[in-house]
Amino acid sequence: MYLICDRDKKRYYVGCSSSNCLSRVFNHIHKLKTGTHPSDILQKAYQNGHKLEFVQLLELPDWKKEDILDLERRLIFGLKTYDDEYGFNVKNVPPETYLERK
């Protein structure tokens, strides 16, 4: 589990990787640098010069993938990162969707 933080604006992106967190972070960096990140609001923050920090929260090597994704959804809901006022996990789905187990 990791966060991408824009501490000045107090916005966060919650992410997870069931295998290699570092490669996932490098993937985000590459997409931001090439202007191809799927989160438009995160891409815009990067292009506007916001200082983004990558913070590893947890390593969960013994967890099942579905449990990791469930925790990610709960963090997105709890931190309200689905709302562009608070975060970068913005999708066109109702917030309650993040509490539904897939």
Side-chain angles (χ1 to χ4, degrees), residues 27-40 42-44 46-47:
N27 186 299
H28 281 289
I29 292 169
H30 173 74
K31 288 183 176 186
L32 288 167
K33 286 183 176 182
T34 58
T36 60
H37 200 280
S39 171
D40 292 339
L42 181 58
Q43 185 67 56
K44 184 181 265 186
Y46 177 79
Q47 290 173 327

Side-chain angles (χ1 to χ4, degrees):
M1 303 293 308
Y2 60 91
L3 291 177
I4 301 174
C5 308
D6 179 346
R7 294 190 193 270
D8 292 336
K9 297 289 183 181
K10 294 187 178 34
R11 284 186 176 156
Y12 305 94
Y13 178 94
V14 176
C16 72
S17 174
S18 58
S19 57
N20 188 335
C21 191
L22 192 56
S23 69
R24 192 73 186 101
V25 167
F26 284 129
N27 186 299
H28 281 289
I29 292 169
H30 173 74
K31 288 183 176 186
L32 288 167
K33 286 183 176 182
T34 58
T36 60
H37 200 280
S39 171
D40 292 339
I41 194 161
L42 181 58
Q43 185 67 56
K44 184 181 265 186
Y46 177 79
Q47 290 173 327
N48 288 337
H50 292 228
K51 182 181 175 195
L52 302 175
E53 298 176 46
F54 292 81
V55 178
Q56 184 171 351
L57 298 176
L58 299 166
E59 282 190 45
L60 305 165
D62 299 328
W63 284 40
K64 294 181 208 165
K65 184 175 181 174
E66 62 265 15
D67 293 333
I68 293 171
L69 292 172
D70 185 52
L71 178 58
E72 177 189 39
R73 285 190 295 272
R74 290 179 179 281
L75 284 171
I76 289 169
F77 187 80
L79 294 172
K80 298 182 182 177
T81 63
Y82 56 81
D83 182 334
D84 65 1
E85 183 178 343
Y86 303 104
F88 302 113
N89 293 96
V90 179
K91 296 181 181 176
N92 293 321
V93 297
E96 301 78 35
T97 304
Y98 290 105
L99 291 180
E100 295 172 3
R101 185 138 189 176
K102 305 279 185 213

